[in-house]
Each structure stands twice: as C-alpha cells, then as structure tokens.
Amino acid sequence: MPAIQLLFSLSPPRFELPDAFTGALEPNNLLAGATRMFEGQIIGPTSLAIYKDWIYAGTAGGAVWRGNLRTGNASRIAKINNEMCERKPWDSSLCGRPLGVRVDAAGVLYFVDAYLGLHSVTFDAEDRVQLTPLLSLEQVGGRYMGHLVIDEKAGSNGGHMIYITVASSKRDVTQWTAMVIEPDTTGFVVQYDTGSGQWAIIWDKLWYPTSIELTDDRTALLVAEFSSRKVLKYYIRGRWRGTSLFLF
C-alpha cells in the first residue's frame, strides 16, 4: 500500500508551565465559603443577571427563572415553547434553550434563546409577566443564538441597542462539537435597536462566538470565540468604529 502524505501538522503548540503557582495563580479556598442557592429548584442555569433582590437565569427545559436573593425561593417566569418537553427536559430541540440574559436599569429583562431568538420580559404593578418576541433566528439567517449585551439608551427614540452573538448560520446548539471540529466560521454579531425594531449584522466570519460584553467606556464590544480560544474587540464608536482586533 503506498504511503499517504499527511497534509497537516501533528505537532501541537507548546506552552511552558510556570515553575510555581504564585501571584494570580496561587491556590486559594475562596469557593469554600460560597453558598449554594436555589438547589433542587432549577435545572441547568446559565447566564445570570441580577436586578435588586432578584437573580434571573435561563434553564434546561426552555424556561427563564427568577430567584429571590432574600428568601431563597425561585419561580418560573417565562417559557416560550410548548409543554412537549416536559417528558424530555434535556432535549433542547423540543424545549428551546434560553442562554444569555440581561436586565436593564429599569428592570426589563432581555434574553436570547438558542433556537427561538431575542425576547423581552416586563412586569406590571401586580408583578404579572409580559413576554414579547423581538427578533427571530429566521430573520437574521442564523441557527444558534448565544448571548447578548445591552448598550442602554443608545438606540433610537430612547431605546437600547442590543448586541447579540449568533454562533452559527449552519448548525444549532446540539451540533456544537461539529462547529469546533470543522471549524465553523459562520458566526456573526447582530445589532438590534429596541426603539425602532431595526437590526443589522455588523460583524461576521466569527469562529463560534459565545459570550459578548461592552467595554466600560462603551466604545467597543468584547467577544469570545470558542473554537479559536480568542477574545476579540470590535469598535462601535470613535475613530476605530467598525474595526476589530485580537486581544488574547
């Protein structure tokens, strides 16, 4: 059998380990003093957001839960999909999967579901919930929404500008391993204006973008690319607006 020539390198990059774990790497027992909260009440909580005495999280089973930090009690406040997933709460294709959650200064909750898009949740004077769909994956041409960040009062008519990571335009959350192996470079960032309802793709060709954050000076976005193991910076204001760079 003829030899097959390999067209890729089998030599992984080398990383030097420190001689000792000191400074920021020094072992500590800080987590030993942590308090377990809402244990047994919610399943698979992800991205957390805190507003006053409340903490919010998307969970396995397709629901968004709210926990009271004073009493330790939690309750389901929103569920987009139908109840078909009650027998299979682990099946996100049936249940949906809320991932990123954020709360604005007025207490309005915004969240993205990996399958079902961007939604808002408001509460009236009697604490009744109003769930409003804002932007779907079909509208933006994606398959998997990951996270969001709010640039408050940056939208039109006093609204916010919300920036959303779409991890892939080809695969959903159940196919994340294929996204890493390929690697999938069809991820992008969407800008959504709550004041006008207008949206635009502002940054594309990303390698499985997951978390997103706004810098303290509000001039740029920070995005974590899962597949490339990088943190990237994209300027939304100032001299370098519309450009990006690799941070680490």
Side-chain angles (χ1 to χ4, degrees):
M1 179 180 294
I4 299 175
Q5 182 179 5
L6 295 179
L7 300 180
F8 55 90
S9 172
L10 294 178
S11 301
R14 295 177 60 86
F15 297 95
E16 298 296 331
L17 294 176
D19 294 330
F21 293 104
T22 59
L25 298 177
E26 186 175 358
N28 63 72
N29 60 354
L30 295 177
L31 289 179
T35 301
R36 293 174 179 260
M37 304 188 69
F38 314 115
E39 193 169 9
Q41 298 182 64
I42 57 178
I43 301 173
T46 56
S47 172
L48 305 176
I50 295 176
Y51 179 75
K52 296 184 177 179
D53 293 334
W54 302 101
I55 186 167
Y56 300 88
T59 66
V64 176
W65 284 66
R66 179 176 67 173
N68 190 307
L69 295 171
R70 292 185 179 272
T71 67
N73 295 322
S75 59
R76 190 177 82 174
I77 60 169
K79 180 169 172 51
I80 311 171
N81 221 343
N82 57 40
E83 301 299 326
M84 288 177 60
C85 72
E86 292 298 333
R87 296 180 182 177
K88 296 182 179 181
W90 61 87
D91 189 342
S92 58
S93 66
L94 292 177
C95 304
R97 188 55 165 106
L99 294 175
V101 296
R102 301 278 186 169
V103 182
D104 70 10
V108 178
L109 173 70
Y110 295 89
F111 70 92
V112 293
D113 185 286
Y115 294 89
L116 303 170
L118 174 67
H119 293 72
S120 68
V121 175
T122 56
F123 304 89
D124 66 15
E126 298 180 359
D127 207 34
R128 289 175 297 197
V129 173
Q130 175 65 47
L131 175 65
T132 305
L134 300 176
L135 187 67
S136 71
L137 277 165
E138 290 75 18
Q139 286 175 271
V140 301
R143 294 287 306 280
Y144 168 7
M145 275 193 187
H147 207 345
L148 77 162
V149 68
I150 305 171
D151 190 2
E152 298 205 26
K153 304 301 181 183
S156 58
N157 305 312
H160 305 324
M161 198 67 79
I162 298 178
Y163 297 93
I164 306 161
T165 55
V166 177
S168 175
S169 60
K170 298 194 300 184
R171 297 182 173 89
D172 64 33
V173 66
T174 63
Q175 300 170 305
W176 69 270
T177 51
M179 292 168 58
V180 175
I181 293 169
E182 184 180 347
D184 187 332
T185 61
T186 65
F188 54 92
V189 172
V190 175
Q191 170 185 280
Y192 177 80
D193 187 339
T194 65
S196 66
Q198 298 298 308
W199 62 271
I201 296 173
I202 62 168
W203 193 10
D204 60 5
K205 298 181 175 63
L206 296 175
W207 295 38
Y208 194 171
T210 52
S211 298
I212 185 168
E213 189 54 86
L214 187 68
T215 57
D216 289 343
D217 62 6
R218 300 174 63 186
T219 63
L221 302 171
L222 304 179
V223 169
E225 282 189 325
F226 187 79
S227 295
S228 68
R229 301 177 297 280
K230 294 178 181 178
V231 174
L232 308 178
K233 186 174 187 177
Y234 180 88
Y235 288 92
I236 56 174
R237 291 186 177 89
R239 176 183 177 186
W240 305 108
R241 180 179 178 181
T243 63
S244 63
L245 58 87
F246 163 65
L247 284 184
F248 56 87

